[in-house]
């Protein structure tokens, strides 16, 4: 079915409009992610330039994302592996 302007209308047009809206939303979110990733890189570069160990900072950020139980389990496994390798 075509409307007065010669464009298709009906369910197919609605689906195409919804699809376009989803794609545009994903693109906007991806742009935001890219900007935030650049910001994160700048923060790590600034920390490094002031003498901080960025590898350690990344590890701390990772650990802070875990709840206490997860963190204790991860630390226990690392301690176990270190002991098994004679790294105590």
């Amino acid at each position: 079915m075509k409307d007065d302007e010669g464009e298709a209308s009906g369910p197919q047009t609605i689906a195409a409009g919804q699809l376009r809206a989803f794609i545009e939303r994903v693109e906007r979110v991806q742009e935001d992610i890219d900007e935030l990733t650049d910001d994160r890189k700048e923060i790590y570069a600034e920390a490094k330039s002031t003498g901080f160990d960025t590898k350690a900072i990344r590890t701390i950020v990772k650990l802070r994302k875990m709840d206490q139980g997860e963190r204790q389990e991860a630390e226990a496994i690392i301690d176990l592996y270190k002991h098994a390798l004679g790294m105590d």
Side-chain angles (χ1 to χ4, degrees):
M1 170 188 288
K2 295 195 178 216
D3 62 16
D4 294 338
E5 297 175 9
E7 294 184 14
S9 62
Q12 193 172 28
T13 302
I14 293 170
Q18 287 177 321
L19 177 60
R20 181 175 292 106
F22 284 129
I23 291 171
E24 289 171 353
R25 285 173 53 199
V26 168
E27 289 170 341
R28 282 192 300 275
V29 168
Q30 186 60 53
E31 288 173 5
D32 292 345
I33 291 169
D34 293 344
E35 288 176 19
L36 292 171
T37 298
D38 290 342
D39 291 347
R40 182 175 54 199
K41 288 177 187 176
E42 289 176 19
I43 293 167
Y44 281 117
E46 184 179 344
K48 185 175 184 174
S49 72
T50 58
F52 288 100
D53 183 323
T54 56
K55 193 176 207 180
I57 291 173
R58 289 178 192 276
T59 300
I60 296 296
V61 169
K62 182 179 175 182
L63 290 171
R64 286 173 51 110
K65 288 181 184 179
M66 298 178 185
D67 65 33
Q68 185 176 358
E70 289 175 316
R71 193 168 42 252
Q72 287 173 340
E73 183 180 342
E75 290 171 353
I77 291 171
I78 290 170
D79 288 342
L80 177 67
Y81 288 3
K82 286 170 43 179
H83 180 72
L85 297 171
M87 297 175 61
D88 293 1

